Amino acid sequence: MTDALTDLPASVAPVFETVTARNPHEPEFHQAVHEVLHSIAPVLDRHPEFTGAGIVPRLVEPERQIMFRVPWVDDAGRVQVDRGYRIQFSSVLGPYKGGLRFHPSVNLSIIKFLGFEQIFKNALTGQGIGGAKGGSDFDPHGKSDAEVMRFCQSFVSELYRHLGEHTDVPAGDIGVGVREIGYLFGQYRKITNRHESGTFTGKGVQWGGAEVRKEATGYGVVFFAEEMLSTRGTSLEGLRVGVSGSGNVAIYAIAKAHQLGALPVTASDSSGYVVDDDGIDVALLRQIKEVERARIAEYAARRPSARFVEGGRPWEVAVDVAIPAATQNELDEADARALIGNGVRAVAEGANMPSTPAAVAAFQASDVLFGPGKAANAGGVVASAFEMSQNASRQRWSFDESERKLRAIIADIHASARDAAERYDRPGDYVAGANIAGFERVAHAMLAQGVI
């Protein structure tokens, strides 16, 4: 655990004690559950029927946990074995929906925290989708296309029996892009003898994918930042924006920030960060990270206005808006203090739970607008649901139409979180508001559908 967790109200503390006892050595999952329980305690006070129906104890226990081995053969003919996961947390609002992450850091705690967060994120979208997450400790970096294909085929050969357009619809996440989704879907189609396009999202646009899906998370987090700023009578125009990461979310957050008149000045990877006071060149960043798959230092080597800071994190750079878009718990209290000291006005989370609890507390205590990931980075799953809708109806929406729909739903998510916070006397607290708004939707559906 990055930070010590605060005490919980008596109405939810026993639930957390059960979670930690049943799920030992899973700090990320504990952190995610703790945040939600802390937010929803006032809801339980107003709705004793939720307590009577055991809504919270049921909600923190996944409906199904699937863990399996994934054997595959590398290009040298050696047998490799990785571990696969799918945590199906809640289907009360619709089929399970959530990404697959292929990364060496993946373990049960990571997948459970992501799946738990997905329940509320998906509920906030209002699109009738449940929460799940999956993945493997397989690392696609440095692997040939043939090795990635063989791994994906082995992975879905086990998981396919738990998937379906009305059951569970995976998407991409870290390490899982159009290439991986293609191999996964191809094997699923072969095994099942059904062309259920809607069983996977994040597909190539030429074979069932949706416009804006690739851009959606990055665009959405910038839209959410602008919505927050609008509550204080300002916009992104002319503001300096700091972004961490250099993957899909970061690249398209930088691109949209440029389009809205801001000046995004940072990007990073595990080796360090670059700062470019002329504004990050999106085309160059994409060439280096998406085409060449090179390190971020190469950006500074080719861009005279940029410099590379080895081993550093971008939060020491003075910016008006910060968008952590790399990974969980990347921004700690010291980073938050540095941003606050440099006058940051708003923080919108592009990654899942990238700020530690102490960092979040520091931002909120300093009156910094703070958009939590389950609200601010919901653009990806919003566009995934668009893809499901288009697959089901055999329709195709244009890029502009999809972006308009995306922006409208992000505005609705912002309004839902803002209004819920105000209803529970927490004005401006988007963490509480997002948790409460998502929880209320799920809880009412669970109450209506009985104890199952």
Side-chain angles (χ1 to χ4, degrees):
M1 190 69 63
T2 304
D3 301 315
L5 298 178
T6 57
D7 291 338
L8 288 168
S11 58
V12 292
V15 176
F16 187 68
E17 290 171 3
T18 299
V19 167
T20 55
R22 281 183 172 175
N23 307 275
H25 314 301
E26 296 180 8
E28 294 86 1
F29 180 47
H30 300 166
Q31 180 181 338
V33 171
H34 186 280
E35 180 201 282
V36 170
L37 293 181
H38 190 273
S39 296
I40 67 172
V43 183
L44 301 178
D45 292 338
R46 292 193 190 180
H47 292 276
E49 67 273 22
F50 292 165
T51 301
I55 297 295
V56 179
R58 285 193 280 148
L59 192 58
V60 298
E61 186 67 25
E63 292 178 6
R64 186 177 294 107
Q65 302 185 61
I66 306 155
M67 189 166 69
F68 52 98
R69 73 182 183 196
V70 188
W72 57 281
V73 180
D74 66 21
D75 287 343
R78 295 179 298 246
V79 175
Q80 305 288 340
V81 180
D82 289 286
R83 182 172 283 179
Y85 303 89
R86 189 67 175 173
I87 306 299
Q88 298 173 331
F89 241 107
S90 173
S91 59
V92 70
L93 294 180
Y96 303 109
K97 186 83 192 77
L100 296 171
R101 175 177 295 191
F102 293 168
H103 191 272
S105 66
V106 165
N107 57 37
L108 195 56
S109 179
I110 297 291
I111 298 301
K112 284 166 79 170
F113 116 68
L114 291 168
F116 187 70
E117 290 275 291
Q118 203 77 42
I119 301 171
F120 308 98
K121 181 188 300 186
N122 293 0
L124 283 168
T125 73
Q127 294 179 290
I129 44 180
K133 206 74 176 187
S136 173
D137 54 2
F138 171 77
D139 187 358
H141 289 99
K143 305 294 194 302
S144 70
D145 286 350
E147 287 176 322
V148 173
M149 180 183 71
R150 289 192 291 271
F151 171 82
C152 289
Q153 289 174 341
S154 180
F155 182 88
V156 87
S157 291
E158 172 59 34
L159 191 59
Y160 84 94
R161 68 196 79 232
H162 302 288
L163 306 180
E165 58 188 355
H166 302 297
T167 303
D168 187 351
V169 182
D173 192 78
I174 294 172
V176 179
V178 173
R179 175 184 63 173
E180 288 77 16
I181 291 293
Y183 294 146
L184 293 164
F185 176 69
Q187 183 73 351
Y188 176 84
R189 181 176 59 81
K190 181 175 179 62
I191 292 172
T192 62
N193 195 32
R194 295 192 300 272
H195 197 291
E196 295 178 351
S197 298
T199 300
F200 287 87
T201 59
K203 300 183 294 295
V205 174
Q206 302 85 352
W207 48 278
E211 298 283 2
V212 183
R213 174 62 188 89
K214 186 175 184 180
E215 298 86 355
T217 308
Y219 280 17
V221 70
V222 175
F223 292 153
F224 197 91
E226 184 138 274
E227 290 290 332
M228 291 194 297
L229 289 166
S230 72
T231 66
R232 296 187 178 176
T234 188
S235 71
L236 281 166
E237 181 75 34
L239 299 187
R240 281 170 60 92
V241 177
V243 179
S244 68
S246 50
N248 194 63
V249 179
I251 287 170
Y252 290 104
I254 290 168
K256 182 52 66 176
H258 270 302
Q259 291 176 21
L260 295 180
L263 186 71
V265 295
T266 66
S268 69
D269 63 19
S270 59
S271 66
Y273 73 90
V274 293
V275 57
D276 186 345
D277 289 323
D278 287 351
I280 295 292
D281 182 326
V282 177
L284 177 59
L285 183 62
R286 289 188 64 186
Q287 172 66 27
I288 290 168
K289 300 304 291 188
E290 293 187 340
V291 178
E292 301 173 20
R293 299 184 185 273
R295 306 306 287 167
I296 198 69
E298 188 63 26
Y299 178 93
R302 301 186 201 177
R303 178 85 164 165
S305 57
R307 60 186 174 85
F308 172 63
V309 180
E310 185 175 2
R313 295 193 285 189
W315 314 124
E316 60 195 24
V317 178
V319 294
D320 301 295
V321 177
I323 299 177
T327 191
Q328 65 271 1
N329 290 325
E330 61 170 287
L331 195 161
D332 62 21
E333 183 178 8
D335 298 322
R337 299 285 178 202
L339 284 165
I340 293 164
N342 284 325
V344 72
R345 306 186 199 179
V347 177
E349 293 189 322
N352 292 300
M353 206 169 71
S355 307
T356 68
V360 175
F363 288 134
Q364 293 180 324
S366 300
D367 200 31
V368 173
L369 293 164
F370 181 79
K374 61 172 60 72
N377 76 15
V381 76
V382 168
S384 282
F386 291 171
E387 188 171 334
M388 292 168 67
S389 296
Q390 291 171 77
N391 291 161
S393 60
R394 297 292 192 267
Q395 293 182 350
R396 189 178 183 87
W397 304 346
S398 70
F399 189 98
D400 289 344
E401 181 183 6
S402 299
E403 186 176 350
R404 284 195 301 271
K405 291 176 182 288
L406 171 65
R407 189 159 194 171
I409 291 179
I410 294 297
D412 286 344
I413 291 171
H414 173 269
S416 294
R418 179 199 61 209
D419 294 348
E422 290 176 355
R423 282 191 286 110
Y424 283 88
D425 302 317
R426 301 284 293 274
D429 186 343
Y430 290 100
V431 175
N435 285 327
I436 289 169
F439 172 73
E440 286 184 330
R441 291 179 183 178
V442 172
H444 283 298
M446 290 177 70
L447 197 64
Q449 294 177 32
V451 179
I452 54 173

